[in-house]
Amino acid sequence: MSEPAPNTTESSAVRYVRHASGNPEVDMFRQRLARSVHDVEAWLGLVNYAKHVGDDALLHETYTDALKQYPSSGQLLASLAELELRRGNIQSAETVFNSSLFSVPSIELWQCYLNYVLKANVDAQGVVSQPERRATVKQCYKLVLDNVGCDREAGRIWADYIGFLSSGQTSAPYEEQQKTELLRETFQAAVAIPHLKVEEIWKNYDGFENRLDRATAKQMLSRTSPSYMTARTALRAMNRHWDAIRRYQPLHGIPAPPEWSPREIDYLDAWKKYLRWEMENPLNINDASALRRRVVFAYNQACMALRFYPEIWIDFAEYLSSQDQHSDALAKMHSASLVLPSSLAVQFAYAEMAEKHKQPNVCKQVYEKVVALARADIDSTKAKYTQKLDKLEKRLAQIAAKKKASEDKQEMQDTEAPAETPLADSDSDSDESDDLGDDSGMDGNSSDASGRERDAATVAMERAKRRINVRVVRTKALMEEDLCQVREPYTLAWIMYLRYVQRAEGIDAVRQLLRRPRSDPPGYLTYHLFVSAAQMEYHVAKKPGIAAKLFEFYSKMFSDQPAYIIEYLSYLINSGDDTNARALFERFQGTSTGDSGDIWSTFAEFEYSYGDLSSITKLDKRFIEKFEHESVLTRLAARYSYLDVDTVAVHDFGFPYRKDHRGDGPGHGGLRRPGDDDAESGNELAAIAVGSVTGRHLRKEQLLAPVTPKRFVRLNTSALEEYDPVIEDFEAPEPMSASYAGGGSGASATEMRPAMSPSTPSTAQFLEQGDVLSYVAAAVSNVDPQNFDSRALDVDALLDAILQTRGIGQQQQQSSYRPLAYMTRQTSHGGPHSRPPVGRGRMSRSRSKGYSEYDDRHGDRRSFGSTRKSPHRGSFRRQPPYSRNSNGGGGGYPARSGGYDTRRVSRGGYRDDNGY
């Protein structure tokens, strides 16, 4: 299937430009689309508004603009076709069908096309009666089912087709026989596909066969039943996959460029799981071509839904190649390159696939296109920020000119001012002076005011200048950040281009091609391109001299980037040029004290491996003098190691456990521990990389350093006393009345309650009213959760209030909760309890008509209804036997001795016989 060629990514999409309509709501949506053409909510808002006001022209315009960004959306295409048909534009609707039907496997679009054909061929009674028109509709049904008949939602089309065939009139026996055979074939094809109406169609098929001949119906149904059962089983698995897809799909199912959120990743994974399920052949299809058609249909659906995900297109092309459909695979990658022009993965995969099929012209076109697009991104980024910087520079120039004009004006006023004359000593002059005193004071005040105005204007200009300078610095930083994002794709595009040319045409063509990026202005490329070119000269052309010249030439351009110097140094070391390696180190070892540590480490590793002892000693001395984190011990640890073997540093020096050697320098220093002073600095945890501590990358052996038990303090338990609670017996209050237990009249809970712990009147009122939740909330509202004590609650009063609550004391069974083991019990009169024994505990009848509980987990024995020696260090536990309420009002609640069976523990808390 060929794919339309729209612009679909944010960087390459055609900008949405529409003139103001005068409608504020429409203009609002258009402004949002002008900012981002993939604002799905804005598109749908504009569509809904046009439908609401009934503006078909605006609706048509919106559909047309939206389809420029989403040409594979079957929902939008079907809506546009229906709009054209409703407006009477048959030709426009047919144009939509002809251009999109075979490239967009959308059930909505095909259903719209089928409805159009049916409407065009029905007669006045609403049926297709004429033979010619029935033949046209029949061909239309076959076309639709051949293209989307395997869709999960195609069941209604199959059912409609079967109904259409059944409504046909026959005039001869052979026509009836042909109709029967066609219906049988259609039924059998429909029940073998996992769609939503497969069970309904199977029932109809069963009735169809039984109406024809009951004798042959069993044979026909048994022949078709296996495929139906397989389809029905596959439908259940398919529904699970589609439920996951629908759960994570974007708004209204319209695709959007991924931002790699967890929901988008789950959406992609759901589709990939479904595609793998389809390739596993769950329908047990024996025909390889039929299976391939089904998988291709699923991939087309995935490409329609995941339009902006490159890996789906690449996986689709790889599947086609594995099925020996090489031309289809290349065509699919061509479509992907048009859909995702800024995706480097798609473009490189397309070029490599064309290279496999011996199409060098296609390869060069792809690489040239990628390089041009990446270069255009850099140019547009620089132009955008250059325009901003030019505006700021103009404002700075205006401020400077205004300031200079003010200074010139002030200087001119100072030169034109008359010279001051000394005052006369005569009385007359003195009198005149006194007479003019007021005027002279006014002149002085005015001059002071003008001076203050000038000073204020100067201060304002200085402030404006500082603000603009801050904006200039910020704009330059943003420009550099954005340039870094577009500079790397441009560099990578050139590297891939050079690799292809080297494979296809040789190293001479690479040298010719390299002249083009070398002529780019500074800042367009990173050093990686020139490292790649130099390494290609060394490994492919076998000319280390040219490679060294390239490294040396570009070391002047990238002298401020230690990563390039390290690559240069590594090349010299690996090529055996020890003299130039030492010279390069001496030249760049002092350029940057902060970032040149890796240069020192790289050279030290070379010197330790292949240098003599005197040069090693000198280098270690320089190390210690230059880096404050280095010492003789760290240098020894670095010297006595190789690759990832750090036995000396770990076992002999114990660097992973020491704080005095943190490994901040370029050597093999010790491990920095979490919680050190530097780890508590202002650095955010999000900036700490995986495999690092406080941002410093660690080696594998440091991360997996063994834990020495001797270094950890163990708890000395010899001086600790064993916990031995003393359980005291005390007299229980008077027995509970029958009316109290059964919910009838009798003494109130307050009268029968033992002495309550102090509580506020509000809490007591809550309990009297039976409002247990309010009582608990009021009791613990002012209690610190960290130091909560159960004595804050009046447990006895709380239990009274719970038992008085209506319905609690009636028709209830004893709580099955057991703090130590589940158990079953019998009453003291020997009546068995209705609940069978569960859990790991078991009960046995004791001689004193009490009941004991064996706890299989602890091996201890707890007694009920008798006083026995507990195995817990001589403590006694006394509990009455269980008995049912004599009045019958209490249901299954045990009538405890005296209404309560409570035991005071040394901690001061209460607990009943159920452990509460």
Side-chain angles (χ1 to χ4, degrees):
M1 296 181 182
S2 61
E3 185 74 19
N7 295 316
T8 52
T9 58
E10 191 68 40
S11 60
S12 61
V14 176
R15 294 185 61 84
Y16 182 82
V17 179
R18 288 288 181 184
H19 298 292
S21 63
N23 189 321
E25 191 166 357
V26 174
D27 292 339
M28 178 192 67
F29 288 124
R30 288 180 173 178
Q31 289 174 3
R32 291 175 56 181
L33 293 172
R35 290 190 295 268
S36 174
V37 294
H38 294 295
D39 190 346
V40 178
E41 293 182 358
W43 285 115
L44 296 178
L46 199 56
V47 168
N48 293 332
Y49 175 79
K51 290 181 178 179
H52 177 70
V53 299
D55 191 348
D56 289 345
L58 176 62
L59 187 60
H60 181 271
E61 179 183 285
T62 304
Y63 281 141
T64 304
D65 292 335
L67 285 170
K68 293 178 182 178
Q69 311 303 328
Y70 310 105
S72 63
S73 175
Q75 177 184 353
L76 294 176
L77 287 168
S79 300
L80 177 60
E82 291 175 355
L83 175 64
E84 296 290 3
L85 292 173
R86 187 174 68 250
R87 299 174 66 185
N89 299 330
I90 305 299
Q91 189 67 30
S92 300
E94 291 181 350
T95 302
V96 173
F97 292 139
N98 293 330
S99 62
S100 304
L101 269 179
F102 296 99
S103 60
V104 180
S106 170
I107 193 73
E108 293 90 351
L109 182 60
W110 280 98
Q111 183 70 62
C112 179
Y113 169 69
L114 181 60
N115 294 338
Y116 161 69
V117 175
L118 288 172
K119 187 176 180 179
N121 289 275
V122 296
D123 52 17
Q125 288 75 25
V127 295
V128 183
S129 57
Q130 298 182 7
E132 296 83 2
R133 294 189 175 185
R134 287 190 63 85
T136 302
V137 172
K138 182 179 176 182
Q139 291 178 359
C140 179
Y141 269 116
K142 286 185 177 180
L143 179 65
V144 173
L145 293 174
D146 287 343
N147 284 274
V148 293
C150 58
D151 192 275
R152 174 174 169 268
E153 299 180 357
R156 62 180 183 271
I157 300 179
W158 282 103
D160 292 344
Y161 183 41
I162 292 172
F164 171 77
L165 294 178
S166 301
S167 64
Q169 301 295 327
T170 58
S171 57
Y174 76 91
E175 292 180 355
E176 184 67 25
Q177 183 66 24
Q178 290 178 351
K179 175 183 173 181
T180 301
E181 292 296 331
L182 182 59
L183 276 172
R184 180 178 287 117
E185 292 177 1
T186 305
F187 270 119
Q188 293 176 354
V191 298
I193 296 174
H195 52 74
L196 297 179
K197 288 184 174 293
V198 62
E199 295 183 2
E200 177 184 342
I201 294 178
W202 171 259
K203 293 178 182 178
N204 295 335
Y205 178 50
D206 182 271
F208 168 77
E209 291 290 355
N210 281 281
R211 283 193 302 270
L212 290 178
D213 188 355
R214 289 184 176 273
T216 60
K218 186 175 181 181
Q219 179 181 1
M220 291 294 180
L221 292 174
S222 62
R223 187 183 304 171
T224 313
S225 179
S227 60
Y228 161 68
M229 296 300 295
T230 302
R232 191 177 67 171
T233 304
L235 177 63
R236 296 172 183 172
M238 181 188 288
N239 287 335
R240 290 193 293 268
H241 288 290
W242 275 97
D243 289 342
I245 291 172
R246 297 289 169 81
R247 187 182 308 120
Y248 300 116
Q249 71 179 1
L251 182 64
H252 300 288
I254 297 178
E259 297 179 357
W260 301 113
S261 64
R263 184 182 182 87
E264 291 171 337
I265 294 174
D266 291 337
Y267 185 51
L268 175 63
D269 291 340
W271 268 108
K272 295 182 74 173
K273 289 178 181 178
Y274 170 63
L275 293 173
R276 286 195 296 269
W277 178 79
E278 287 285 0
M279 286 187 285
E280 290 172 357
N281 192 12
L283 296 177
N284 299 324
I285 301 175
N286 297 324
D287 188 2
S289 61
L291 176 62
R292 183 172 62 250
R293 285 196 302 270
R294 183 171 181 85
V295 175
V296 166
F297 178 78
Y299 263 115
N300 280 321
Q301 284 185 313
C303 289
M304 185 173 61
L306 304 172
R307 184 176 181 82
F308 304 106
Y309 291 75
E311 61 184 281
I312 290 296
W313 296 91
I314 297 174
D315 289 345
F316 192 6
E318 291 295 334
Y319 171 77
L320 292 174
S321 295
S322 66
Q323 299 294 317
D324 295 331
Q325 305 291 321
H326 301 296
S327 59
D328 293 341
L330 193 61
K332 185 56 63 177
M333 288 308 303
H334 174 66
S335 301
S337 68
L338 298 176
V339 172
L340 300 169
S342 62
S343 172
L344 296 181
V346 168
Q347 303 299 331
F348 295 156
Y350 179 35
E352 288 184 353
M353 189 168 290
E355 183 180 357
K356 290 179 182 178
H357 293 85
K358 309 299 182 182
Q359 298 185 12
N361 294 331
V362 175
C363 296
K364 285 193 173 183
Q365 290 176 2
V366 172
Y367 284 118
E368 290 289 345
K369 175 185 174 182
V370 174
V371 168
L373 288 176
R375 173 63 183 267
D377 289 340
I378 296 179
D379 291 338
S380 62
T381 303
K382 292 197 71 172
K384 179 179 67 174
Y385 284 102
T386 301
Q387 185 179 3
K388 294 182 180 180
L389 290 174
D390 290 342
K391 291 181 179 179
L392 295 176
E393 293 294 338
K394 287 181 181 179
R395 293 181 61 182
L396 286 175
Q398 291 174 359
I399 292 175
K402 187 176 180 180
K403 182 178 180 181
K404 188 175 184 305
S406 178
E407 292 176 352
D408 293 343
K409 183 179 180 181
Q410 179 62 29
E411 184 178 357
M412 185 178 298
Q413 289 177 357
D414 292 341
T415 55
E416 292 179 355
E420 295 184 358
T421 56
L423 294 175
D425 294 336
S426 62
D427 295 338
S428 61
D429 292 339
S430 178
D431 295 338
E432 291 178 2
S433 173
D434 294 337
D435 295 337
L436 298 174
D438 296 337
D439 296 337
S440 62
M442 293 177 60
D443 294 339
N445 292 334
S446 62
S447 63
D448 293 341
S450 62
R452 286 194 296 270
E453 291 178 358
R454 287 194 300 271
D455 293 341
T458 303
V459 171
M461 286 188 290
E462 289 295 332
R463 289 178 179 175
K465 183 178 179 180
R466 285 197 298 271
R467 287 196 298 268
I468 294 175
N469 285 328
V470 170
R471 290 185 61 185
V472 168
V473 173
R474 189 181 305 160
T475 303
K476 288 182 178 179
L478 291 175
M479 180 178 68
E480 184 60 28
E481 182 179 351
D482 289 351
L483 282 176
C484 287
Q485 296 180 359
V486 296
R487 192 183 292 138
E488 292 183 357
Y490 184 52
T491 303
L492 184 61
W494 273 114
I495 292 174
M496 296 297 108
Y497 197 2
L498 291 176
R499 288 181 181 179
Y500 162 71
V501 171
Q502 183 271 323
R503 293 192 300 266
E505 302 178 15
I507 194 65
D508 292 334
V510 172
R511 294 168 184 164
Q512 294 293 330
L513 183 62
L514 189 60
R515 294 181 179 180
R516 290 174 54 189
R518 287 176 59 180
S519 61
D520 286 337
Y524 273 58
L525 293 163
T526 64
Y527 70 88
H528 303 82
L529 173 64
F530 306 105
V531 172
S532 175
Q535 295 285 0
M536 201 174 293
E537 289 286 351
Y538 177 73
H539 291 284
V540 177
K542 309 299 181 183
K543 293 184 178 181
I546 297 178
K549 289 181 180 179
L550 286 175
F551 270 116
E552 178 63 26
F553 178 79
Y554 291 107
S555 65
K556 302 174 183 178
M557 183 184 300
F558 302 105
S559 59
D560 59 338
Q561 299 189 21
Y564 178 80
I565 304 304
I566 292 172
E567 293 292 337
Y568 187 9
L569 181 62
S570 300
Y571 164 75
L572 293 175
I573 292 172
N574 294 331
S575 61
D577 195 349
D578 301 348
T579 303
N580 285 329
R582 290 186 171 88
L584 180 68
F585 170 73
E586 295 297 336
R587 192 188 347 160
F588 289 100
Q589 55 86 19
T591 55
S592 176
T593 57
D595 295 334
S596 63
D598 291 335
I599 298 175
W600 282 76
S601 299
T602 304
F603 185 72
E605 186 177 355
F606 160 70
E607 200 69 74
Y608 292 157
S609 300
Y610 312 110
D612 53 23
L613 189 58
S614 61
S615 40
I616 292 174
T617 305
K618 292 178 181 178
L619 180 63
D620 285 347
K621 184 178 179 181
R622 293 175 63 185
F623 245 108
I624 297 171
E625 292 175 354
K626 186 172 182 62
F627 300 101
E628 61 179 6
H629 312 94
E630 294 294 336
S631 64
V632 176
L633 200 61
T634 59
R635 286 297 91 211
L636 287 176
R639 192 190 308 173
Y640 302 149
S641 65
Y642 184 73
L643 296 179
D644 58 345
V645 180
D646 271 346
T647 304
V648 173
V650 174
H651 296 287
D652 294 346
F653 296 156
F655 277 3
Y657 320 105
R658 298 174 59 168
K659 293 183 178 179
D660 54 343
H661 295 286
R662 299 183 176 182
D664 292 346
H668 295 272
L671 189 68
R672 175 183 288 273
R673 292 185 175 191
D676 288 345
D677 295 337
D678 292 345
E680 298 175 358
S681 60
N683 297 332
E684 296 186 3
L685 294 178
I688 298 178
V690 177
S692 68
V693 180
T694 66
R696 293 175 175 83
H697 287 273
L698 304 176
R699 298 188 303 278
K700 178 181 178 181
E701 68 276 4
Q702 291 174 324
L703 290 172
L704 301 178
V707 178
T708 304
K710 296 180 180 180
R711 304 193 63 84
F712 295 91
V713 180
R714 292 182 177 274
L715 179 64
N716 184 10
T717 59
S718 60
L720 299 179
E721 296 182 0
E722 296 183 357
Y723 175 67
D724 189 9
V726 178
I727 304 176
E728 301 174 358
D729 294 336
F730 69 95
E731 295 182 359
E734 294 299 327
M736 188 187 310
S737 65
S739 60
Y740 177 82
S745 62
S748 65
T750 307
E751 297 174 352
M752 301 180 61
R753 184 182 305 147
M756 293 176 59
S757 60
S759 62
T760 61
S762 61
T763 58
Q765 184 179 4
F766 287 143
L767 288 177
E768 292 175 359
Q769 297 174 356
D771 191 351
V772 178
L773 294 180
S774 298
Y775 165 72
V776 175
V780 303
S781 60
N782 298 323
V783 179
D784 184 8
Q786 301 295 332
N787 302 315
F788 176 71
D789 192 350
S790 62
R791 286 175 290 183
L793 298 176
D794 189 347
V795 180
D796 294 333
L798 184 60
L799 290 175
D800 286 342
I802 292 175
L803 290 175
Q804 287 187 84
T805 304
R806 185 175 182 181
I808 287 183
Q810 299 178 1
Q811 301 299 327
Q812 300 290 331
Q813 296 294 333
Q814 174 67 24
S815 172
S816 61
Y817 173 80
R818 296 294 180 268
L820 297 176
Y822 290 100
M823 66 180 186
T824 183
R825 60 178 175 81
Q826 294 179 347
T827 64
S828 59
H829 302 287
H833 192 271
S834 59
R835 186 183 299 274
V838 293
R840 291 183 285 184
R842 59 188 185 276
M843 298 295 298
S844 63
R845 180 77 178 262
S846 63
R847 293 184 178 181
S848 60
K849 296 185 180 180
Y851 295 88
S852 60
E853 173 190 358
Y854 288 92
D855 194 336
D856 295 341
R857 294 172 294 176
H858 304 288
D860 58 350
R861 179 185 180 97
R862 309 273 171 90
S863 299
F864 296 87
S866 62
T867 304
R868 291 182 178 272
K869 180 88 175 216
S870 172
H872 295 290
R873 300 169 183 81
S875 62
F876 287 86
R877 303 178 65 180
R878 182 178 183 85
Q879 293 179 341
Y882 286 101
S883 63
R884 293 197 177 271
N885 195 327
S886 58
N887 292 340
Y893 279 93
R896 306 177 195 141
S897 175
Y900 292 90
D901 178 33
T902 54
R903 292 162 288 121
R904 186 176 300 278
V905 189
S906 60
R907 289 178 295 176
Y910 290 96
R911 188 175 65 177
D912 65 356
D913 55 351
N914 288 328
Y916 295 106

